[in-house]
Amino acid sequence: MKTNRFKEMLIFLLRKDMIYVMTLILWIVCVFDPCQASLWEQWWSYEGINGPSYWGRANPEWRLCEHGRQQSPINIQPNKLLFDPNLKNMKLEATVATGVLMNDPHELTIEVKTPRYKWINVTQGPLSYKYRVSQIKFHLANRGSHGSEHQVAGKSFPVEMHIIAYNSDLYHNVTEASKGVKGLAIISVFIDIGKEIHKSFYLISKELEWLQRHKARMTQVRHISIQHLLPKTKEYMTYEGSLSQPACYETVTWIVMNKPLFIAKEQLTALRVIHNGSENEAGLPVEMNSRPVMPLNNRVVRTNINGTRKYRLCTMEKNMFYQVNTRYVRPVPEP
């Protein structure tokens, strides 16, 4: 028994020392050769000694990953949502996108490349500024329903899609905005398995299959309708949070759609195979590119779902009515 505890302690110390050694090496490289600062971006991952538990310890610029109080993702609890009657419907302008689909070590990303006159803007909803769509990212697992970053009542979904937009009223690009106040808005869409092929998502899944056949890292995608990649609902939840990747800047207004987008099983398989290399094999460990949920820390999750009667949600809506007390009403004399 003592031997086993000694082994566990030794393994822990070795892993801890390894983190310090790797961090020191990266610091030396980046200090003496600033061009290699991008090594930090390559270093982090979603598991092991460079996983989410160690992001904030490796790079001082990532301290928010460990010490931030408004981190994302979160577990959304329906019975604690606050109905806000002032929340407007979200508005999308010029929703057809063209871009580059990339499969990098961290996630599948679409870099939106649209000409000036076709910029895709997000306004209204919980937003006070105009936000321009810049990227679309996918978070998933290689099997089961563990892939989404956000949860609803502790439930996960197979995939979560993030439509990332930056505040174009105040900032020049997504990199600058990610560090600034009210810099980013991220529309979060859960993706689940449906019965039919989703027509708009097909433009993405067919390019994923092309990447797989040609062992390529990127390809161009055209005519993607952002509007049709959203579920058919105007209801959403919103809260103030952070990027769910290093450097975990707390500059994000999250808009989590209330319904999932349904895609066919073969479309989900295309996502899983291209990113993880395999899907649903016997004995396959669950691999994902999703950060675990973070504490809410007294933040309020607001919603435009007016379900006060059906769901008994907390609400900011004024429910005022007047009723006459019949005890003090004089009877009307008969003619």
Side-chain angles (χ1 to χ4, degrees):
M1 191 70 175
K2 291 183 178 179
T3 304
N4 291 336
R5 291 186 62 184
F6 176 77
K7 287 181 179 179
E8 291 175 0
M9 186 177 296
L10 182 61
I11 292 172
F12 171 79
L13 291 173
L14 287 173
R15 290 183 63 186
K16 193 172 182 181
D17 288 342
M18 192 178 299
I19 296 168
Y20 292 140
V21 170
M22 291 179 65
T23 303
L24 179 61
I25 292 172
L26 279 171
W27 262 108
I28 293 173
V29 171
C30 292
V31 167
F32 288 98
D33 186 358
C35 295
Q36 295 298 320
S38 61
L39 285 173
W40 286 114
E41 298 178 6
Q42 301 174 18
W43 174 83
W44 68 272
S45 74
Y46 287 95
E47 58 184 358
I49 60 172
N50 48 358
S53 299
Y54 302 102
W55 290 350
R57 306 179 193 181
N59 187 345
E61 294 184 7
W62 298 353
R63 285 179 60 82
L64 280 170
C65 297
E66 184 172 8
H67 300 288
R69 303 288 293 174
Q70 296 188 359
Q71 290 292 292
S72 299
I74 61 170
N75 175 34
I76 298 172
Q77 301 181 52
N79 61 342
K80 294 184 178 180
L81 293 175
L82 180 68
F83 170 65
D84 185 350
N86 298 310
L87 287 175
K88 300 178 181 179
N89 292 333
M90 184 176 58
K91 183 179 179 181
L92 276 172
E93 302 172 359
T95 63
V96 177
T98 297
V100 178
L101 174 64
M102 299 182 295
N103 182 25
D104 65 36
H106 299 137
E107 72 258 310
L108 294 165
T109 302
I110 297 175
E111 293 285 346
V112 177
K113 308 287 185 182
T114 52
R116 182 184 296 269
Y117 65 91
K118 289 186 177 180
W119 279 337
I120 302 170
N121 298 315
V122 185
T123 55
Q124 298 185 13
L127 307 174
S128 301
Y129 299 93
K130 180 184 290 186
Y131 290 76
R132 184 174 301 152
V133 173
S134 175
Q135 297 173 322
I136 302 173
K137 294 178 180 286
F138 297 93
H139 296 269
L140 64 151
N142 55 0
R143 63 185 175 93
S145 299
H146 309 283
S148 67
E149 293 202 306
H150 287 87
Q151 297 177 358
V152 178
K155 171 182 170 60
S156 298
F157 292 81
V159 183
E160 183 174 342
M161 177 175 62
H162 293 165
I163 301 172
I164 302 172
Y166 71 91
N167 186 332
S168 57
D169 285 342
L170 301 181
Y171 307 103
H172 295 94
N173 53 55
V174 67
T175 302
E176 180 185 355
S178 66
K179 303 177 184 179
V181 177
K182 298 291 182 181
L184 299 176
I186 301 181
I187 303 171
S188 170
V189 179
F190 297 120
I191 297 179
D192 210 341
I193 300 175
K195 297 180 180 180
E196 299 178 354
I197 291 178
H198 192 283
K199 294 181 180 179
S200 293
F201 199 86
Y202 174 74
L203 296 174
I204 298 174
S205 57
K206 75 172 185 177
E207 296 300 334
L208 292 172
E209 294 171 356
W210 186 92
L211 286 177
Q212 177 69 13
R213 286 198 308 269
H214 294 84
K215 307 298 180 182
R217 297 299 299 271
M218 64 178 63
T219 185
Q220 192 169 21
V221 289
R222 298 179 177 88
H223 311 302
I224 299 175
S225 172
I226 303 294
Q227 183 70 50
H228 292 143
L229 287 179
L230 298 179
K232 293 181 179 180
T233 181
K234 296 180 179 179
E235 297 178 337
Y236 59 84
M237 292 79 72
T238 182
Y239 74 99
E240 300 301 316
S242 73
L243 289 169
S244 57
Q245 301 173 335
C248 307
Y249 295 124
E250 295 177 342
T251 59
V252 180
T253 298
W254 283 91
I255 303 171
V256 183
M257 302 307 294
N258 186 45
K259 292 182 180 179
L261 182 75
F262 291 97
I263 63 175
K265 185 176 181 181
E266 52 264 39
Q267 292 179 301
L268 175 60
T269 300
L271 274 172
R272 287 173 166 172
V273 170
I274 191 64
H275 185 60
N276 294 294
S278 54
E279 192 259 349
N280 288 344
E281 294 181 1
L284 187 71
V286 177
E287 295 181 4
M288 62 185 71
N289 65 336
S290 302
R291 187 187 191 189
V293 293
M294 306 300 291
L296 190 59
N297 290 328
N298 298 318
R299 283 176 286 173
V300 174
V301 183
R302 297 180 295 150
T303 183
N304 66 344
I305 306 170
N306 191 354
T308 53
R309 294 181 179 178
K310 184 176 180 180
Y311 301 106
R312 296 181 182 177
L313 300 180
C314 295
T315 177
M316 293 170 63
E317 184 177 34
K318 291 182 180 179
N319 188 11
M320 300 176 65
F321 62 92
Y322 299 91
Q323 184 174 351
V324 176
N325 190 332
T326 56
R327 292 176 58 188
Y328 297 97
V329 176
R330 291 182 181 180
V332 179
E334 296 181 3

